[in-house]
């Protein structure tokens, strides 16, 4: 069981502290202008009041002002055709790059000296960051003893602690992708394992299973991506090869043993091409490795894509992405995400993105939350005679989190993102309904569509090194 702590607005009445300061400045400006032209108050006061009311009101878990401002920005971008992508077959630089937030990335095929095998590294040419992905073995802990699960959670906590003290690790994410059907890859695996001297009846049964299995099962592909800044080393590497080596060294320093996770291997360049290409076209996920070996990095993306307000249309279908709106206030079980991880009719990707705050930043965040919670309770008590019980509970949670940090724990900024992909526009309502039911079945986790950011959240679930939590 885990008790989540959710940061609250540090202001009052639904407004953040920054919004309150801006509102006070605007009202002061209105008053100064009114000293020269009193009639201007007939215009400025209603306009200012409307903006403040929008900032205080909530819509889909965010301020109404932020929601409508994002809607306006998206419409402007749509009119300028900035939300549409078409692959250009012209001989100019970066013509065949990935769309959106993946445009600055490129794929590097490297050699891992520890394993002696090839490994794929995604390089962000804009920031210089490197992303290393580790393929994990699908499994679970539902049948494990409670003590073993608690031990795994403690070990995972220590892994996050190690990230907080490493300046080179900028972000990390864990993604689980569920794709219906096992496809041709299952047939290849069974053929390689089949005993040529097996009885004919056994061979016939296996052939029948391979033929029918793609319609009855799902492929589960979990992976963990770590984004590293090689230049943050004490001795910054001078060339690209040294930067890749530094990124691999930092990724190897994260010990996942004991976390309840089985490591399969480092993702190769072919693995990364498969994961990215199959996200845009789920039908090719179970294709053979040779089908991805000759693809360029740009060819792993879509031929065309359109970023809508609540959906993202691309080559192999239409995707809908949701983001975390609010975690439950009550203590939650470790199996809370099980409904989201259950296979369905459509491909689904569930991503947990992490950014571990360094100890100084984490302490500042918690101290700010404690002061803000007490200020809200005090202000409400002055107006209504007593503070709300929810405000008292917020202060208690913040104090407990601060006590845990004083005992050696770290503060983690994290979010949950889910993407479901339908094969056609006609299937989109069914895919959206399946996602809504899965979210409701978690009994407490509240999510919402990623309004105006569908393409970005879609890419955040891929091993591209993009994270909405990452600081520049």
């Amino acid at each position: 069981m885990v008790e989540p702590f959710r940061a609250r607005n540090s202001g009052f009445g639904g407004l953040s502290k920054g919004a309150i300061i801006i509102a006070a400045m605007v009202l002061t400006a209105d008053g100064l202008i009114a000293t020269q032209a009193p009639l201007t108050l007939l215009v400025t006061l209603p306009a200012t009041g409307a903006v403040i009311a929008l900032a205080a009101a909530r819509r889909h878990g965010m301020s109404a002002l932020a929601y409508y401002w994002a809607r306006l920005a998206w419409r402007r971008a749509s009119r300028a055709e900035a939300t549409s992508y078409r692959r250009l077959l012209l001989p100019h630089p970066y013509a065949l790059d990935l769309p959106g937030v993946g445009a600055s990335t490129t794929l590097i095929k490297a050699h891992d000296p520890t394993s002696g095998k090839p490994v794929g590294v995604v390089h962000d040419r804009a920031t210089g960051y490197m992303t290393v992905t580790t393929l994990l073995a699908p499994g679970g802990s539902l049948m494990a003893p409670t003590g073993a699960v608690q031990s795994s959670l403690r070990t995972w906590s220590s892994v996050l602690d190690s990230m907080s003290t490493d300046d080179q690790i900028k972000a990390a994410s864990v993604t689980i992708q569920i794709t219906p059907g096992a496809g041709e890859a299952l047939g290849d695996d069974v053929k390689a394992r089949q005993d040529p001297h097996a009885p004919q009846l056994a061979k016939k049964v296996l052939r029948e299973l391979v033929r029918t299995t793609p319609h009855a099962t799902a492929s589960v592909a979990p992976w963990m991506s770590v984004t590293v800044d090689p230049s943050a080393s004490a001795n910054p590497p001078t060339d690209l090869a040294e930067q890749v080596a530094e990124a691999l060294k930092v990724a190897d320093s994260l010990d996942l043993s004991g976390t309840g996770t089985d490591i399969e291997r480092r993702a190769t360049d072919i693995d990364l091409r498969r994961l990215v290409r199959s996200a845009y076209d789920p039908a090719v996920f179970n294709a053979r490795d040779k089908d991805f070996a000759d693809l360029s990095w740009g060819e792993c993306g879509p031929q065309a894509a359109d970023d809508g307000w609540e959906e993202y249309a691309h080559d192999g279908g239409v995707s809908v992405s949701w983001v975390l709106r609010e975690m439950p206030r009550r203590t939650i079980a470790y199996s809370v995400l099980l409904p989201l991880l259950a296979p369905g009719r459509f491909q689904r990707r569930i991503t947990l993105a992490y950014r571990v705050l360094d100890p100084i930043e984490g302490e500042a965040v918690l101290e700010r939350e404690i002061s803000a919670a007490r200020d809200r309770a005090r202000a409400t008590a002055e107006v209504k005679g007593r503070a709300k019980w929810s405000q008292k509970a917020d202060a208690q949670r913040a104090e407990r989190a601060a006590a845990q940090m004083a005992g050696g724990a770290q503060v983690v900024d994290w979010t949950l993102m889910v993407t479901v992909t339908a094969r056609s526009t006609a299937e989109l309502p069914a895919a959206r309904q399946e996602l809504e039911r899965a979210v409701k079945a978690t009994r407490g986790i509240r999510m919402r569509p990623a309004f105006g950011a569908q393409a970005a959240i879609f890419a955040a679930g891929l091993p591209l090194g993009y994270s909405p939590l990452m600081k520049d």
Side-chain angles (χ1 to χ4, degrees):
M1 307 292 281
V2 178
E3 182 180 10
F5 168 72
R6 184 171 65 95
R8 306 279 291 178
N9 284 332
S10 56
F12 178 72
L15 294 175
S16 65
K17 182 181 293 185
I20 291 177
I21 294 174
I22 293 174
M25 293 174 61
V26 172
L27 289 174
T28 302
D30 290 344
L32 292 175
I33 295 173
T35 59
Q36 302 297 325
L39 291 178
T40 58
L41 291 175
L42 297 175
V43 177
T44 57
L45 281 182
T48 302
V51 173
I52 294 175
L54 285 174
R58 312 296 292 175
R59 175 147 192 179
H60 301 292
M62 67 181 80
S63 71
L65 182 62
Y67 173 83
Y68 289 116
W69 181 261
R71 180 88 184 197
L72 177 62
W74 177 82
R75 285 184 176 178
R76 290 181 58 188
S78 180
R79 284 196 296 267
E81 297 184 352
T83 58
S84 297
Y85 168 82
R86 300 295 181 269
R87 185 187 296 174
L88 301 177
L89 301 178
L90 300 177
H92 60 74
Y94 312 139
L96 297 178
D97 282 348
L98 296 177
V101 296
S104 61
T105 63
T106 186
L107 179 61
I108 299 174
K109 181 180 180 180
H111 178 77
D112 188 356
T114 58
S115 63
K117 298 179 180 179
V119 61
V121 178
V122 176
H123 177 218
D124 191 324
R125 295 169 296 204
T127 61
Y129 295 168
M130 303 271 184
T131 300
V132 181
T133 299
T134 303
L135 301 183
L136 309 175
S141 55
L142 291 179
M143 301 298 292
T146 303
V149 174
Q150 292 175 345
S151 175
S152 298
L153 289 175
R154 286 192 295 268
T155 306
W156 178 246
S157 177
S158 67
V159 173
L160 295 178
D161 287 347
S162 65
M163 292 184 188
S164 68
T165 55
D166 195 330
D167 294 334
Q168 292 183 273
I169 298 180
K170 297 301 179 182
S173 64
V174 177
T175 300
I176 300 178
Q177 179 172 281
I178 302 103
T179 304
E184 297 175 348
L186 176 63
D188 292 343
D189 185 63
V190 171
K191 184 178 180 180
R193 295 168 179 264
Q194 184 174 332
D195 186 353
H197 303 294
Q200 291 299 321
L201 177 60
K203 293 181 180 180
K204 183 178 180 180
V205 171
L206 280 178
R207 286 195 296 268
E208 183 65 17
L209 286 174
V210 169
R211 186 183 67 83
T212 58
T213 293
H215 304 285
T217 64
S219 299
V220 181
W223 65 83
M224 179 179 180
S225 297
V226 179
T227 301
V228 178
D229 182 8
S231 63
S233 173
N235 297 311
T238 57
D239 58 23
L240 188 61
E242 292 181 356
Q243 293 174 6
V244 172
E246 183 69 20
L248 291 174
K249 183 176 70 174
V250 173
D252 288 337
S253 67
L254 295 177
D255 185 10
L256 298 181
S257 60
T259 61
T261 301
D262 294 328
I263 298 177
E264 187 172 326
R265 55 183 167 81
R266 293 281 184 220
T268 65
D269 57 314
I270 294 179
D271 293 326
L272 295 178
R273 292 189 185 100
R274 178 191 299 275
L275 293 176
V276 175
R277 182 58 201 153
S278 64
Y280 292 101
D281 187 4
V284 304
F285 176 78
N286 292 298
R288 297 176 174 88
D289 286 348
K290 65 180 182 180
D291 297 329
F292 300 97
D294 297 329
L295 287 181
S296 67
W297 188 234
E299 290 174 331
C300 296
Q303 294 282 348
D306 293 298
D307 189 7
W309 179 246
E310 292 189 41
E311 67 280 331
Y312 181 51
H314 45 84
D315 284 359
V318 186
S319 295
V320 175
S321 296
W322 283 27
V323 295
L324 183 67
R325 172 178 172 177
E326 183 180 2
M327 281 295 294
R329 293 176 178 267
R330 58 182 173 81
T331 302
I332 59 176
Y334 62 86
S335 59
V336 65
L337 295 180
L338 187 60
L340 286 174
L341 300 175
R345 289 179 52 197
F346 307 97
Q347 184 187 75
R348 190 186 305 165
R349 244 182 344 273
I350 301 93
T351 300
L352 276 167
Y354 299 91
R355 185 179 75 87
V356 185
L357 281 61
D358 63 73
I360 296 177
E361 184 182 1
E363 183 179 6
V365 168
L366 292 179
E367 290 297 331
R368 186 168 61 246
E369 290 300 322
I370 292 174
S371 299
R374 290 176 177 174
D375 290 342
R376 286 193 298 270
R378 188 183 305 111
T380 303
E382 291 176 355
V383 175
K384 297 184 177 181
R386 66 173 181 84
K388 296 180 180 179
W389 285 109
S390 61
Q391 294 172 335
K392 294 179 180 180
D394 288 338
Q396 293 172 357
R397 274 190 288 267
E399 291 171 357
R400 282 197 298 269
Q404 292 173 359
M405 184 175 181
Q410 299 296 337
V411 179
V412 179
D413 188 10
W414 66 278
T415 189
L416 175 67
M417 299 167 284
V418 181
T419 298
V420 62
T421 300
R423 298 296 180 90
S424 64
T425 306
E427 294 182 342
L428 185 60
R432 183 180 281 112
Q433 184 181 55
E434 181 179 275
L435 178 57
E436 290 175 353
R437 288 176 176 172
V439 171
K440 290 180 180 178
T442 60
R443 299 184 182 275
I445 294 180
R446 302 181 66 186
M447 305 190 72
R448 63 168 175 82
F451 298 113
Q454 291 288 318
I457 300 302
F458 182 94
L462 301 178
L464 302 179
Y466 169 74
S467 172
L469 303 179
M470 195 187 315
K471 286 188 175 182
D472 296 334

